[in-house]
Amino acid sequence: MRLGLALGYWGRGPNPDHLDLAVLAERLGYDSVWTAEAWGSDAFTPLTWIAAHTSRIRLGTAIAQMAARSPTATAMHALTLDHLSGGRMMLGLGLSGPQVVEGWYGRPFPASPLTATREYVDVIRQVLRREGPVALDGRFHQHPYRGQDGTGIGKPLKPITHPLRADLPVLLGAEGPRNIEQTTRIADGWLPLYWSPTRTDAYRASLADLPEGFTIAPMARARVCDDVAEGLLPVKAMLGFYIGGMGHAARNFHADLMARMGYEDEARRIQELFLAGRRQEAVLAVPDAFADEISLVGPRERIAERLELWRTGPVTDLLVTAPDPHTLRVLAELNG
């Protein structure tokens, strides 16, 4: 099981520690470093900055939002950074949800998310293969565009720049069972939002036909500390925000996922509290047990024991959100 460093997205400004953590992760032997985006900083620019200060560590987006860019624009980002980094780029993609897609990007959330994802990946693959002009008469993506509001003179094109690799890895941040199953067919890997090494049955049907070499790379908050309850507070804060606020009361993919993992009543209670403006109560309502099983928190010996659980399943890469150099070092030593 390889280790990766997940840096996430910025808060109100750049995190001054991110570059140092990425450089340290490379020195410690971490395989990859990952950036993200929500509705503030983008995923590609910080990753390019990290690429310029490193030489070996692989570079991934976890995740770049599909609504933010057309598939050809995303492919341009990926092939450009792949060239600049010497073939280290990995493209992690996700749909996000209706509130972000429609509220931030000003676009309709696709009525058929699976079809929209499949078409998006198809276009990117065509760009990277560069076998001919990009052509797709899709429901959500048309190349050339043939809508009634177009000019009708769009020209099929292939990239001017020759991609460094036709097989640049494409990974998807899928959550629903059918979306995960499709991911195993059209992508090179899957980026689970929550992964519990003790509840792998939640994904068993979706992962029944894994192709050889398929990457499964969940993210987990990690912190070496003496007080487990205190160490879990940032995990609970994250869960309270995602379960309670990253989605509508009637359509929240994160809450639905927590429910499928055995915490349905708790997920709905978190939503109820968060949407009522009682955010601190929503965070405290997150069960310690759930926060604990999807993270690596506590003394070194406890983390060592729990790390063994992660190794026993299908996980190929563990992407850790680690706030301090000491935790990064300990995990590198334990994963040896």
Side-chain angles (χ1 to χ4, degrees):
M1 186 177 67
R2 297 176 294 248
L3 289 179
L5 171 64
L7 295 173
Y9 46 80
W10 296 351
R12 62 185 301 167
N15 188 314
D17 299 326
H18 277 183
L19 180 59
D20 289 341
L21 288 173
V23 171
L24 175 62
E26 177 173 73
R27 192 161 65 243
L28 292 172
Y30 279 63
D31 178 75
S32 58
V33 58
W34 303 75
T35 56
E37 59 189 13
W39 50 91
S41 61
D42 78 282
F44 290 98
T45 308
L47 203 60
T48 305
W49 185 249
I50 291 168
H53 291 81
T54 56
S55 60
R56 178 199 56 80
I57 197 166
R58 294 196 295 163
L59 311 156
T61 55
I63 56 174
Q65 296 177 332
M66 297 184 207
R69 308 162 189 87
S70 70
T72 47
T74 298
M76 289 166 65
H77 277 297
L79 73 84
T80 301
L81 185 46
D82 202 41
H83 269 290
L84 292 175
S85 66
R88 292 188 280 151
M89 177 65 195
M90 296 178 288
L91 182 59
L93 301 168
L95 275 176
S96 190
Q99 284 194 324
V100 175
V101 172
E102 298 182 3
W104 180 247
Y105 294 114
R107 302 181 60 183
F109 189 78
S112 177
L114 271 71
T115 301
T117 299
R118 189 166 58 249
E119 292 178 2
Y120 201 101
V121 172
D122 184 352
V123 172
I124 288 174
R125 299 285 201 198
Q126 289 189 51
V127 173
L128 294 175
R129 289 194 299 264
R130 201 180 178 271
E131 295 172 346
V134 175
L136 180 68
D137 187 16
R139 177 178 175 184
F140 299 98
H141 299 284
Q142 296 179 356
H143 296 266
Y145 181 70
R146 297 181 178 86
Q148 293 184 352
D149 56 345
T151 64
I153 59 175
K155 181 180 179 180
L157 299 169
K158 65 180 179 180
I160 298 170
T161 304
H162 290 233
L164 184 64
R165 295 180 294 163
D167 59 350
L168 185 154
V170 176
L171 303 92
L172 297 176
E175 291 186 51
R178 292 176 58 222
N179 202 352
I180 297 169
E181 189 276 327
Q182 175 178 267
T183 297
T184 67
R185 291 187 282 108
I186 68 171
D188 301 297
W190 173 43
L191 297 163
L193 180 61
Y194 312 133
W195 179 273
S196 169
T198 61
R199 295 178 188 269
T200 56
D201 284 351
Y203 302 114
R204 189 179 302 279
S206 300
L207 301 177
D209 297 312
L210 282 181
E212 186 177 353
F214 189 80
T215 296
I216 298 180
M219 284 178 276
R221 174 84 176 187
R223 185 184 173 195
V224 178
C225 60
D226 293 328
D227 189 331
V228 174
E230 181 185 0
L232 288 175
L233 285 177
V235 184
K236 296 178 67 168
M238 175 273 293
L239 287 169
F241 178 63
Y242 272 72
I243 302 300
M246 289 284 272
H248 189 268
R251 195 169 187 185
N252 184 316
F253 302 138
H254 312 308
D256 293 344
L257 173 57
M258 183 177 175
R260 286 196 300 275
M261 295 179 73
Y263 292 91
E264 182 170 5
D265 291 342
E266 293 86 345
R268 304 312 169 198
R269 178 59 176 163
I270 294 166
Q271 276 190 293
E272 178 185 326
L273 291 168
F274 194 96
L275 295 174
R278 298 157 64 183
R279 297 193 175 192
Q280 187 57 33
E281 291 180 64
V283 170
L284 295 177
V286 175
D288 281 5
F290 182 58
D292 193 26
E293 65 186 78
I294 65 169
S295 60
L296 287 162
V297 172
R300 178 188 176 108
E301 296 75 16
R302 185 176 193 267
I303 289 179
E305 292 176 2
R306 298 178 68 82
L307 198 59
E308 289 302 318
L309 291 175
W310 290 78
R311 291 197 187 98
T312 59
V315 171
T316 61
D317 297 72
L318 176 60
L319 312 185
V320 297
T321 303
D324 62 278
H326 176 61
T327 296
L328 285 182
R329 292 190 182 94
V330 169
L331 286 170
E333 293 167 2
L334 293 176
N335 202 52

